[in-house]
Amino acid sequence: MPFALSLLTDSPSAVATPLLAVALAADEPLPDALHDLDRRLAGTLGRSIARRDFRGGRDETLHLAGVESAGAERVLLVGMGKVRDRGPAVRRAAAVAARAAAKLGTGAIAFYAPALDAGGVEQAGIGLALGAWRYDELLTPAPEAERRAPLEQGAVVAESGADGADGAAGGVAAAEAIAAGYAVARRLAMMPGNVCTPDTFVETGRELADRHGMALTVLGRTELEAEGMGSFLSVAQGTPQDPKLVALEYRRGGDARPLVLVGKGLCFDSGGINLKPGEGMFNMKFDMCGAAGVMGAMEAIARLGLAVNVVGVIGSTTNMPSGTAMKPGDVVRAMSGKTIENHNTDAEGRLVLCDLLHWVKRYEPAAVVDAATLTGAVVIALGHTAVGVFGSDDALTQEVLAAGRRASERGWELPMFDEYREQLKSDVADLKNVGGRAAGAITAAWFLRAFVDDAYPWVHLDVAGTAYAETDLGWLPKGPTGTPVGTFVEFVRGRAG
Ligand code: BES
Ligand code: MN
Ligand code: ZN
């Protein structure tokens, strides 16, 4: 049940499809390019707009049954709201349309928005794929009679506009690559904790490495011990599962220093001895969304064939309370040599990441961007709307923020003032893993930065509020959003020039 994307250069009135989605901005009059279609539909489009049955509000839809003689069996008007930034508006409308098509069971959808250039075609394609995505591997199929056709085909309708048919075809190809990356990440994220384990990241890494000719490195408990990753291992000591570090090397950029993407891969975070409250704990299967984002980005980057060197590194384990688990007050030695007092076993993500951030120095990175569902505090600060962005280098931080905007994964920078670092002072060790309730997302970032140690320009993305949705977002369902795949891909793409 893969989702296939294609380009249609027909006029919207000529497109033969079970469902034609037409995206319009708020209070936008019917564009000239749709007058033919409107005539075929006996003036239904114009009337719906004139009567204000359809106003073009964001996520608004109006389903029109169509007429028998027309090319499109059904027409769905989709609102884009007041459009400030066209790319994200098109992506979102396409996702809304695809979700509606999936619900109807039309099997296929064609999407039209006025005056799409190549970039707009790409955004439309990504949106269709995001809206069509589902995770049904664990569902028993419904009885034949009740089954609806799964949405398996999406087409973007673009009359050869500003960038011509070649440009538009390129937009569809890029959308396919990026959508495949999102699908890798969302599938891993949606898998329950007993299905997605550290070994699943190894299998995914191996599969990606084989298919795209990337080099694969896998370290288990024994190798992590040999590397001296006492911090990462302290998290893993409460689980019988073998922890895994997985590194994928994509080399298409000559001898340039690589960009390194790092992800937190906690397949489940119970909190450990500092056990989390039961309510909502099931969502902690999503504590591997940073790592899933790295895997998804590597898939997309390889499919795009970008001329860059990129290394994707994930650290995966499970944070469990047990007789062997780390305890509050324990002191461990990280790979860098620094000692860490564990003040709260639930602040485990940073304990994994700090060893990864030290380990990646072997690649002499041009830049490192990590992503992690790191703190509840970032959710308090920025809600479910913006990724928390922290950096050691202003140019890189701005670059990643811009990448996030292009990818409809907006980030917001939080300050790394020196004063915050004081909160990590420990009585017995070089630093402790928590800095109190105040500015919790920032002190977490400062903890990581102590292990970056200015060895490379670095940005940290806290995606705890944005990598998965606890409620239906309208354009995306409850569950994994795919963030930070798009930010990673746009960042790397920006470097590929
Ligand atoms: N995985 C959590 C952070 C999280 C919270 C992700 C909510 C998604 C939604 C992380 O490991 C954690 O538990 N952080 C603690 C840190 C605290 C003990 C300093 C937190 O945010 O409560
Ligand atoms: Mn935790
Ligand atoms: Zn966690």
Side-chain angles (χ1 to χ4, degrees):
M1 8 149 207
F3 184 70
L5 279 172
S6 60
L7 177 70
L8 288 173
T9 51
D10 307 325
S11 104
S13 65
V15 172
T17 173
L19 177 74
L20 175 66
V22 173
L24 296 173
D27 302 317
E28 183 176 343
L30 194 69
D32 288 347
L34 290 175
H35 283 159
D36 274 352
L37 176 68
D38 196 26
R39 264 192 293 278
R40 295 194 71 156
L41 296 170
T44 301
L45 299 180
R47 269 198 311 281
S48 298
I49 293 170
R51 287 175 180 157
R52 310 214 4 100
D53 292 349
F54 177 79
R55 301 179 181 199
R58 192 172 73 164
D59 299 346
E60 180 185 345
T61 55
L62 184 68
H63 179 167
L64 305 168
V67 292
E68 259 174 79
S69 62
E73 292 166 37
R74 305 171 187 80
V75 173
L76 185 76
L77 295 175
V78 185
M80 293 191 284
K82 263 207 180 73
V83 176
R84 248 181 264 119
D85 205 351
R86 204 164 150 77
V90 166
R91 177 188 291 217
R92 183 171 178 127
V96 168
R99 287 193 71 192
K103 237 189 233 152
L104 286 167
T106 59
I109 182 173
F111 177 88
Y112 174 86
L116 287 179
D117 59 6
V121 169
E122 177 184 318
Q123 293 303 319
I126 294 172
L128 288 176
L130 289 178
W133 179 83
R134 64 201 177 277
Y135 179 76
D136 52 13
E137 291 168 28
L138 303 178
L139 293 175
T140 307
E144 193 87 55
E146 289 163 31
R147 226 174 280 169
R148 300 218 180 213
L151 185 58
E152 289 181 343
Q153 287 177 57
V156 182
V157 182
E159 293 176 275
S160 44
D163 296 309
D166 283 356
V172 168
E176 274 179 321
I178 292 166
Y182 272 115
V184 165
R186 289 170 93 189
R187 175 170 177 269
L188 283 168
M190 195 61 158
M191 287 176 161
N194 61 329
V195 176
C196 177
T197 66
D199 286 329
T200 310
F201 279 98
V202 176
E203 286 153 25
T204 304
R206 186 163 295 133
E207 197 269 321
L208 285 178
D210 288 349
R211 200 151 38 81
H212 297 300
M214 298 190 273
L216 176 73
T217 305
V218 178
L219 309 184
R221 203 183 295 268
T222 317
E223 296 84 5
L224 297 172
E225 271 160 16
E227 295 279 358
M229 293 201 195
S231 184
F232 183 171
L233 284 166
S234 72
V235 179
Q237 78 190 39
T239 170
Q241 287 174 341
D242 204 40
K244 291 282 159 43
L245 180 156
V246 180
L248 278 169
E249 283 175 65
Y250 170 85
R251 299 228 174 239
R252 289 279 293 272
D255 52 14
R257 288 172 173 232
L259 303 169
V260 178
L261 310 176
V262 175
K264 168 181 173 181
L266 265 287
C267 292
F268 189 74
D269 176 14
S270 71
I273 298 296
N274 290 103
L275 195 62
K276 286 180 182 294
E279 198 193 338
M281 199 202 268
F282 58 89
N283 277 323
M284 282 301 122
K285 74 169 184 178
F286 290 121
D287 210 19
M288 33 58 71
C289 283
V294 170
M295 289 291 169
M298 296 308 284
E299 169 76 24
I301 290 160
R303 282 191 186 234
L304 288 167
L306 300 177
V308 282
N309 292 330
V310 184
V311 184
V313 180
I314 66 99
S316 184
T317 185
T318 304
N319 186 20
M320 296 296 282
S322 83
T324 60
M326 56 180 176
K327 307 177 294 302
D330 285 0
V331 173
V332 296
R333 190 180 296 277
M335 186 185 178
S336 77
K338 282 198 167 76
T339 54
I340 302 164
E341 181 189 1
N342 189 331
H343 249 238
N344 190 318
T345 64
D346 198 9
E348 85 299 336
R350 63 197 77 182
L351 295 174
V352 173
L353 287 174
C354 73
D355 274 342
L356 300 186
L357 290 170
H358 182 78
W359 187 79
V360 300
K361 290 172 188 166
R362 71 189 52 220
Y363 294 110
E364 300 187 6
V368 177
V369 182
D370 79 66
T373 46
L374 201 63
T375 67
V378 86
V379 189
I380 302 303
L382 299 172
H384 301 286
T385 302
V387 174
V389 180
F390 310 80
S392 66
D393 177 283
D394 192 50
L396 182 66
T397 306
Q398 295 309 319
E399 194 181 343
V400 174
L401 283 165
R405 282 193 292 273
R406 291 197 297 278
S408 299
E409 297 175 354
R410 287 168 301 175
W412 197 259
E413 187 181 3
L414 293 176
M416 294 284 285
F417 300 138
D418 290 334
E419 285 81 349
Y420 295 113
R421 189 177 182 162
E422 315 269 309
Q423 291 173 231
L424 295 174
K425 283 195 171 140
S426 159
D427 296 335
V428 290
D430 296 332
L431 75 174
K432 58 182 182 186
N433 69 336
V434 297
R437 272 170 64 82
I442 300 174
T443 52
W446 257 118
F447 180 90
L448 300 180
R449 189 167 173 178
F451 297 85
V452 169
D453 213 15
D454 285 334
Y456 43 72
W458 162 79
V459 163
H460 159 60
L461 304 174
D462 195 334
V463 295
T466 47
Y468 65 93
E470 291 177 29
T471 54
D472 194 308
L473 298 176
W475 73 295
L476 294 178
K478 201 165 101 175
T481 60
T483 299
V485 170
T487 307
F488 277 152
V489 172
E490 287 304 320
F491 165 62
V492 171
R493 226 178 173 191
R495 290 283 178 126

PDB file of all heavy atoms in Angstrom, residues 269 276 319 346-348, ligand 2:
ATOM      1  N   ASP A 269      10.264   5.587  27.613  1.00  0.00           N
ATOM      2  CA  ASP A 269      10.817   6.319  28.751  1.00  0.00           C
ATOM      3  C   ASP A 269       9.818   6.283  29.892  1.00  0.00           C
ATOM      4  O   ASP A 269       8.877   7.073  29.931  1.00  0.00           O
ATOM      5  CB  ASP A 269      11.117   7.773  28.335  1.00  0.00           C
ATOM      6  CG  ASP A 269      11.601   8.619  29.511  1.00  0.00           C
ATOM      7  OD1 ASP A 269      11.958   8.036  30.557  1.00  0.00           O
ATOM      8  OD2 ASP A 269      11.632   9.860  29.368  1.00  0.00           O
ATOM      9  N   LYS A 276       7.583   8.077  35.984  1.00  0.00           N
ATOM     10  CA  LYS A 276       6.612   9.078  35.552  1.00  0.00           C
ATOM     11  C   LYS A 276       5.229   8.724  36.089  1.00  0.00           C
ATOM     12  O   LYS A 276       4.962   7.549  36.348  1.00  0.00           O
ATOM     13  CB  LYS A 276       6.550   9.103  34.017  1.00  0.00           C
ATOM     14  CG  LYS A 276       7.731   9.752  33.345  1.00  0.00           C
ATOM     15  CD  LYS A 276       7.568   9.732  31.828  1.00  0.00           C
ATOM     16  CE  LYS A 276       8.767  10.342  31.123  1.00  0.00           C
ATOM     17  NZ  LYS A 276       8.930  11.787  31.393  1.00  0.00           N
ATOM     18  N   ASN A 319      14.297   3.406  29.036  1.00  0.00           N
ATOM     19  CA  ASN A 319      14.540   3.869  30.415  1.00  0.00           C
ATOM     20  C   ASN A 319      13.562   3.174  31.349  1.00  0.00           C
ATOM     21  O   ASN A 319      12.374   3.479  31.342  1.00  0.00           O
ATOM     22  CB  ASN A 319      14.370   5.395  30.465  1.00  0.00           C
ATOM     23  CG  ASN A 319      14.743   5.995  31.810  1.00  0.00           C
ATOM     24  OD1 ASN A 319      15.472   5.371  32.594  1.00  0.00           O
ATOM     25  ND2 ASN A 319      14.269   7.201  32.072  1.00  0.00           N
ATOM     26  N   ASP A 346      14.762  10.495  35.268  1.00  0.00           N
ATOM     27  CA  ASP A 346      13.880  10.804  34.132  1.00  0.00           C
ATOM     28  C   ASP A 346      14.544  11.801  33.166  1.00  0.00           C
ATOM     29  O   ASP A 346      14.041  12.034  32.068  1.00  0.00           O
ATOM     30  CB  ASP A 346      12.545  11.354  34.650  1.00  0.00           C
ATOM     31  CG  ASP A 346      11.440  11.279  33.613  1.00  0.00           C
ATOM     32  OD1 ASP A 346      11.662  10.640  32.557  1.00  0.00           O
ATOM     33  OD2 ASP A 346      10.362  11.850  33.855  1.00  0.00           O
ATOM     34  N   ALA A 347      15.643  12.398  33.584  1.00  0.00           N
ATOM     35  CA  ALA A 347      16.390  13.268  32.658  1.00  0.00           C
ATOM     36  C   ALA A 347      17.437  12.405  31.959  1.00  0.00           C
ATOM     37  O   ALA A 347      18.650  12.620  32.094  1.00  0.00           O
ATOM     38  CB  ALA A 347      17.020  14.435  33.406  1.00  0.00           C
ATOM     39  N   GLU A 348      16.940  11.379  31.225  1.00  0.00           N
ATOM     40  CA  GLU A 348      17.817  10.357  30.653  1.00  0.00           C
ATOM     41  C   GLU A 348      18.265  10.684  29.226  1.00  0.00           C
ATOM     42  O   GLU A 348      19.325  10.238  28.806  1.00  0.00           O
ATOM     43  CB  GLU A 348      17.119   8.993  30.680  1.00  0.00           C
ATOM     44  CG  GLU A 348      16.181   8.694  29.485  1.00  0.00           C
ATOM     45  CD  GLU A 348      15.027   9.663  29.353  1.00  0.00           C
ATOM     46  OE1 GLU A 348      14.641  10.281  30.359  1.00  0.00           O
ATOM     47  OE2 GLU A 348      14.507   9.819  28.234  1.00  0.00           O
TER      48      GLU A 348
HETATM   49 MN    MN B   2      12.670  11.074  30.789  1.00  0.00          MN
END
